[in-house]
Amino acid sequence: MRKYLAFFITRFNMGLQYRVAALAGLACQFFWGAMAILAFKAFYDTDPASFPMTLPAMSSYIWLQQALLTLLTMGGIDNEFFNVIENGNVAYELCRPVDVYAMWYSRSAATRVSNALLRCIPVLIVAALIPAPYGLMAPPDLLTFLTFLLSLLLALAVINSMGMIVYMITFHTITPRGVRLIAVNICDFFSGDIIPLPFFPAGFKDFVELLPFSATANVPLRIYSGDLHGPEMVKLLLLQAFWAVVLIAVGKVIEQRELRRVTIQGG
């Protein structure tokens, strides 16, 4: 475990160096967050009774979504792994006396955490200063906040495991572009990153919540905003843990299968 922790720390420190790139993305996140809140506010004003979330909860959901964008979405996958597969340098990775899956998993998680850390603090500070109901509200109580942190860790495990499956599938393709495009769009839609899941039709929402995609952004953001609580919250937390274990196991199976017949391209 010590060597994989070392991989995590090294990649985390590297990720913290890209401050300019993080600052450049902040303007886009502030603009997108404000635009999304105003769009949902228009729907809320049309018919408040049919709005499935309170407006303050909706605003908190969106600001947290923007703050944790690189942590909880498929768009936060690390392009370096695609590059080493595509140009043939993956041969050097395979020569290391370590488990490739565990090494890439720790490095991918570190990239997500470091990128999110650079972006989230300014977003959270500014959003907390915006007056209600458009700003980021505090969680209802300490227990809710602690549950949110637990759910956030489980969501990171799930989304990182999904990314690992995408990396491993890329071993079998000429280019990662198609696999990445499909994965990003499917995950963004079914995770509630484009439209929060409470806005889905009831039957379809119940189905989507059973999928691994909903175990990413959907659960922690709704817990923090107070939209998710009680038995339903416990059910989705257990589903998060279930999908984290299953997806890691699936990723390992795909890794073993692909590495037995890997073809090195480029070099």
Side-chain angles (χ1 to χ4, degrees), residues 78-160:
D78 195 332
N79 288 323
E80 180 186 345
F81 300 125
F82 293 132
N83 292 335
V84 298
I85 294 172
E86 195 171 16
N87 62 28
N89 287 336
V90 68
Y92 299 109
E93 299 281 272
L94 298 177
C95 290
R96 297 175 186 266
V98 294
D99 180 77
V100 173
Y101 185 94
M103 177 178 64
W104 283 14
Y105 193 97
S106 60
R107 286 162 58 183
S108 178
T111 298
R112 288 181 176 277
V113 174
S114 61
N115 289 342
L117 188 61
L118 286 173
R119 295 167 180 256
C120 74
I121 296 177
V123 174
L124 295 178
I125 292 175
V126 173
L129 296 175
I130 298 174
Y134 305 104
L136 175 69
M137 65 179 185
D141 49 55
L142 179 60
L143 180 59
T144 299
F145 180 71
L146 295 177
T147 308
F148 159 73
L149 293 180
L150 172 61
S151 179
L152 194 62
L153 289 175
L154 292 172
L156 174 60
V158 172
I159 193 65
N160 208 42

Side-chain angles (χ1 to χ4, degrees), residues 18-235:
Y18 298 100
R19 299 180 181 89
V20 176
L23 291 174
L26 284 177
C28 177
Q29 287 174 257
F30 281 123
F31 176 79
W32 186 264
M35 184 179 66
I37 290 172
L38 291 176
F40 279 106
K41 176 65 163 56
F43 288 111
Y44 178 83
D45 290 341
T46 301
D47 187 4
S50 64
F51 206 75
M53 301 175 69
T54 66
L55 193 57
M58 180 76 255
S59 298
S60 294
Y61 182 102
I62 291 175
W63 286 124
L64 274 177
Q65 177 191 64
Q66 294 303 309
L68 303 174
L69 191 66
T70 58
L71 186 74
L72 298 179
T73 65
M74 192 60 76
I77 50 183
D78 195 332
N79 288 323
E80 180 186 345
F81 300 125
F82 293 132
N83 292 335
V84 298
I85 294 172
E86 195 171 16
N87 62 28
N89 287 336
V90 68
Y92 299 109
E93 299 281 272
L94 298 177
C95 290
R96 297 175 186 266
V98 294
D99 180 77
V100 173
Y101 185 94
M103 177 178 64
W104 283 14
Y105 193 97
S106 60
R107 286 162 58 183
S108 178
T111 298
R112 288 181 176 277
V113 174
S114 61
N115 289 342
L117 188 61
L118 286 173
R119 295 167 180 256
C120 74
I121 296 177
V123 174
L124 295 178
I125 292 175
V126 173
L129 296 175
I130 298 174
Y134 305 104
L136 175 69
M137 65 179 185
D141 49 55
L142 179 60
L143 180 59
T144 299
F145 180 71
L146 295 177
T147 308
F148 159 73
L149 293 180
L150 172 61
S151 179
L152 194 62
L153 289 175
L154 292 172
L156 174 60
V158 172
I159 193 65
N160 208 42
S161 302
M162 289 183 185
M164 289 300 301
I165 292 175
V166 174
Y167 301 142
M168 296 305 165
I169 291 176
T170 305
F171 273 106
H172 205 60
T173 63
I174 301 298
T175 174
R177 294 180 184 87
V179 176
R180 176 175 180 170
L181 183 63
I182 293 172
V184 168
N185 283 281
I186 291 177
C187 186
D188 282 355
F189 181 76
F190 288 108
S191 68
D193 191 48
I194 298 176
I195 302 173
L197 297 194
F199 289 85
F200 285 18
F204 186 58
K205 170 182 170 291
D206 294 339
F207 167 72
V208 171
E209 285 185 339
L210 298 176
L211 301 178
F213 312 105
S214 73
T216 56
N218 168 63
V219 182
L221 301 190
R222 289 175 61 197
I223 289 176
Y224 181 95
S225 63
D227 182 68
L228 192 62
H229 45 77
E232 185 182 5
M233 180 182 70
V234 174
K235 181 189 78 171

